[in-house]
Amino acid sequence: MPARGDHDARRRDLSEAVWRVVAEQGFTGLTMRAVAAEMDASTGLVTHYFPSKAALVRHALELAAERVDTMERHVPSAPGLAGLRAAILDVVPVDPERVAMNRVWVSSWDLALADPTLGEAQRERYDRWRARLRGHVEAAVARGELPDGADVDDVAVSAAAFTHGLVTQALFDPAAFPVARLEGLVAGFVEGLGSQNPNPS
Amino acid sequence: MPARGDHDARRRDLSEAVWRVVAEQGFTGLTMRAVAAEMDASTGLVTHYFPSKAALVRHALELAAERVDTMERHVPSAPGLAGLRAAILDVVPVDPERVAMNRVWVSSWDLALADPTLGEAQRERYDRWRARLRGHVEAAVARGELPDGADVDDVAVSAAAFTHGLVTQALFDPAAFPVARLEGLVAGFVEGLGSQNPNPS
DNA sequence: CTACGTACCAAACATTTGTTATGCACCTCG
DNA sequence: CGAGGTGCATAACAAATGTTTGGTACGTAG
């Protein structure tokens, strides 16, 4: 009963076009016609795969979540603080792919702050990311690289904060943040954790 | 020759309305009609003060820059690391005003990443902020609170990164980041700086 | 008091953008 | 080889939004 077999291929083309549009124009520039133009097609093609604008936005966010997942598993296992450093470096914009990913991510916050549903999704993503970072922190405590009384939750929050804050600065001034400097900053941050006092609260 | 004297007052009303709209709806929701509705007026009033949408957006960003300036001067002078901690706490969302300010700020990044002019403006603002933070870092080095070989530029970048990353997480999950926790996290970060190694680069 | 310019409203207008409808080509199945 | 459904273009439609215009009220200058 179905007609063609390259449905999945086309859908992948669509995803690529959506990705490029958002990475370059932000979510403000994400429009049916922009996506269509990006792949030299008609708006009919876009609506054929995404029945509404909301579905398009949802798909863009799913793409972002999916790509960040694959990038974060890039270095699967390293011990303790080295693992934390690797996890941070998996996110930081050290190559064009990661630059695009972070641009999409940061752009999405405009919508996510205004839309409760998207905001909640973002909150959950932060939760999962912090949980993953916390795993590395706990390993570091177990290895004696961090003081035994360290609050692993707080350290995970700090690591996530440092990472995303660095991402933002780098996105707006790529020339000032070449790969070598990013690596040095991340290394410095992780080393600094080793001597942090246990949380007095 | 001019007509009325409450021009400035009305303009202040306009600014207030623009601010509320952006804080609640983001820059995506910043529209002539939304601003007009926010102050129970007509779109004619809005266009009378802002001839175009671009002017409206520019004004919203000027407002954000202005308010962040006044808030950062809130605690004018403290010595060394204590000054750095105060400077960070001046930005973090510890009250409704600062929550609104940060929401506006984060929302603006969607537009700023897509528009080269706005992006450049954001870059310059980061530069100025980092310069101010660097002042505190240099004072801390002079007071012996940081090692003499510390790279003050890198520490300023790290402080800005930690701050904005913490802001973002707090905005999406206010319940998880009450004032006390924010203060504890900031204090922990600043204390951790004291023992960071000099940058080997 | 008249003239004129400012402040503003109300509504029309043009553009952008999301959505829907129509039609055609092609592929698969019977 | 015909029937029906998929994939997609074309284009009309509708809603939202930026922009422009005509008109009114009012205050100040002369």
Side-chain angles (χ1 to χ4, degrees), chain A residues 32 51-59:
Chain A
M32 304 280 195
S52 74
K53 170 79 179 284
L56 227 189
V57 172
R58 230 173 310 152
H59 182 69

Side-chain angles (χ1 to χ4, degrees), chain A residues 28-169:
Chain A
T28 301
L30 176 58
T31 158
M32 304 280 195
R33 285 170 177 80
V35 172
E38 180 72 29
M39 55 191 297
D40 282 318
S42 69
T43 77
L45 185 149
V46 179
T47 64
H48 187 64
Y49 287 83
F50 299 104
S52 74
K53 170 79 179 284
L56 227 189
V57 172
R58 230 173 310 152
H59 182 69
L61 292 172
E62 285 166 10
L63 273 180
E66 170 190 317
R67 301 206 177 189
V68 80
D69 269 2
T70 68
M71 285 187 182
E72 283 183 3
R73 315 231 185 269
H74 165 239
V75 171
S77 62
L81 281 188
L84 180 63
R85 195 185 59 214
I88 294 176
L89 282 173
D90 277 339
V91 173
V92 151
V94 294
D95 56 39
E97 266 188 31
R98 270 161 245 264
V99 169
M101 188 191 73
N102 281 299
R103 286 177 63 94
V104 171
W105 217 242
V106 172
S107 287
S108 78
W109 292 339
D110 180 36
L111 287 179
L113 281 174
D115 180 335
T117 302
L118 298 182
E120 172 66 11
Q122 174 64 48
R123 190 189 68 72
E124 287 170 5
R125 262 191 287 274
Y126 261 125
D127 263 348
R128 282 194 296 273
W129 185 31
R130 284 187 296 247
R132 223 165 318 158
L133 294 176
R134 189 172 51 234
H136 294 288
V137 174
E138 285 163 351
V141 172
R143 292 164 56 87
E145 295 171 340
L146 289 180
D148 201 41
D151 185 318
V152 292
D153 282 306
D154 281 3
V155 176
V157 167
S158 295
F162 172 82
T163 305
H164 262 178
L166 183 60
V167 163
T168 306
Q169 292 180 71

Side-chain angles (χ1 to χ4, degrees), chain B residues 9-93:
Chain B
R10 267 289 185 274
R11 196 176 173 89
R12 233 170 302 139
D13 292 346
L14 248 301
S15 292
E16 265 303 316
V18 169
W19 191 253
R20 279 196 300 269
V21 168
V22 178
E24 285 166 27
Q25 313 285 343
F27 275 83
T28 301
L30 176 58
T31 160
M32 304 281 193
R33 283 170 178 80
V35 172
E38 179 72 29
M39 55 191 295
D40 283 316
S42 69
T43 76
L45 184 150
V46 179
T47 64
H48 186 64
Y49 286 83
F50 300 104
S52 73
K53 168 80 179 281
L56 225 188
V57 171
R58 230 173 308 151
H59 181 69
L61 292 172
E62 285 166 9
L63 272 180
E66 170 190 316
R67 301 206 177 190
V68 79
D69 270 1
T70 68
M71 284 188 183
E72 283 181 4
R73 316 235 185 267
H74 164 238
V75 171
S77 63
L81 282 188
L84 181 62
R85 196 185 59 212
I88 293 177
L89 283 173
D90 276 340
V91 173
V92 152

Side-chain angles (χ1 to χ4, degrees), chain A residues 25-28 103 107 110 112-114 123 126 130 154 157 160-162 165-166 168-169 172-173 181 188 195-196, chain B residues 25-28 103 107 110 113-114 123 126 130 154 157-158 160-162 165-166 168-169 172-173 181 188 195-196:
Chain A
Q25 312 286 341
F27 276 84
T28 301
R103 286 177 63 94
S107 287
D110 180 36
L113 281 174
R123 190 189 68 72
Y126 261 125
R130 284 187 296 247
D154 281 3
V157 167
F162 172 82
L166 183 60
T168 306
Q169 292 180 71
F172 282 111
D173 199 353
R181 188 172 189 208
S195 44
Q196 201 155 350
Chain B
Q25 313 285 343
F27 275 83
T28 301
R103 286 176 64 94
S107 287
D110 180 37
L113 281 173
R123 190 189 68 72
Y126 261 125
R130 284 188 295 248
D154 282 2
V157 167
S158 295
F162 171 82
L166 183 58
T168 307
Q169 293 180 70
F172 282 112
D173 199 353
R181 186 171 191 210
S195 42
Q196 201 157 353

